[in-house]
Amino acid sequence: MFKRVTFIGCLGILLFLNACKTNESNGEAIFVEDSDSWFQEGSASWKYDGDQLVGTSLGGSGFVMTTKEYKNFIITLEFYPDAGINSGIFVRCKGKSISNRDCYEMNIWDNHPDQESRTGSIVTRSKPLIQVETIGKWNTYKISCENNHIRTWINGQLTADIIDDDLTEGYIALQASEPGRIRFRNVRIQNL
């Protein structure tokens, strides 16, 4: 009887530890509602609608940015753009403002006038390896920054893969620009 109780107890502990490991491997949620771990700047409006962080721009530009810097990581998120929005995920930003010179800009803008900088590109650094259509539906974005190796996937398809030594760590931001709306949810980061 003692062996059976010990076995069941050990099995319970292993299941608990495995569940903790699974949650840990999904990373930490960022841009969480009512958190002081991020701030917003610019003329875009940002608000929560249920579990979604919604950025709306009437023609200006704005962003939300982490207050913490990150170096080596994987970010995963879901996004839902409308046809007008110019959006993106900015990583390793040098300061608390965004630009494609001082950050890596992973673009979300299917209708970009320069299609080499459309959705899936790393603006000014890499045109998209494939063309993906994201307007009016939920999509996934995965970004891996490991030392100087930067890769992005949209809906499971590799869209950019570069080696670049320019930016080694910094802040993370989400953008809303041009007239339009972007929705983000399940934004998570896993430190490598």
Side-chain angles (χ1 to χ4, degrees):
M1 182 68 164
F2 177 72
K3 287 182 182 179
R4 184 179 210 187
V5 171
T6 303
F7 173 76
I8 291 172
C10 289
L11 182 61
I13 290 170
L14 287 173
L15 290 172
F16 173 77
L17 291 174
N18 190 44
C20 291
K21 184 178 178 184
T22 301
N23 289 339
E24 189 177 283
S25 68
N26 290 334
E28 165 193 358
I30 57 175
F31 298 109
V32 176
E33 188 173 13
D34 298 326
S35 170
D36 62 358
S37 63
W38 59 276
F39 64 95
Q40 62 181 345
E41 289 287 332
S43 61
S45 148
W46 293 90
K47 66 175 186 168
Y48 267 88
D49 180 9
D51 67 345
Q52 301 168 21
L53 177 57
V54 182
T56 304
S57 174
L58 300 177
S61 183
F63 60 91
V64 292
M65 180 177 273
T66 62
T67 56
K68 177 181 173 183
E69 294 182 81
Y70 296 89
K71 186 171 184 169
N72 292 313
F73 54 84
I74 294 173
I75 294 175
T76 56
L77 59 83
E78 296 172 86
F79 67 99
Y80 190 115
D82 70 11
I85 196 72
N86 171 8
S87 184
I89 301 115
F90 290 74
V91 301
R92 290 186 174 171
C93 297
K94 285 183 185 178
K96 293 191 175 179
S97 62
I98 62 171
S99 77
N100 57 33
R101 291 175 309 282
D102 295 331
C103 309
Y104 292 112
E105 178 186 358
M106 287 54 175
N107 215 0
I108 300 172
W109 193 7
D110 289 10
N111 295 326
H112 196 295
D114 175 3
Q115 286 291 287
E116 290 192 358
S117 294
R118 75 182 317 278
T119 304
S121 69
I122 303 175
V123 177
T124 72
R125 299 170 193 268
S126 173
K127 64 183 183 180
L129 297 173
I130 60 166
Q131 186 168 316
V132 292
E133 302 297 329
T134 63
I135 295 171
K137 63 181 182 177
W138 282 107
N139 304 273
T140 60
Y141 224 129
K142 177 181 174 183
I143 300 164
S144 172
C145 296
E146 189 168 3
N147 300 315
N148 66 352
H149 193 189
I150 315 296
R151 292 175 293 165
T152 65
W153 294 262
I154 296 178
N155 300 330
Q157 299 180 76
L158 184 68
T159 58
D161 188 347
I162 65 170
I163 302 295
D164 190 292
D165 293 310
D166 188 25
L167 304 165
T168 57
E169 69 180 309
Y171 304 98
I172 296 169
L174 306 176
Q175 176 195 36
S177 185
E178 307 296 332
R181 178 172 289 141
I182 181 81
R183 296 175 177 272
F184 293 101
R185 68 182 182 194
N186 299 320
V187 184
R188 301 189 74 78
I189 188 163
Q190 177 185 0
N191 287 303
L192 298 176

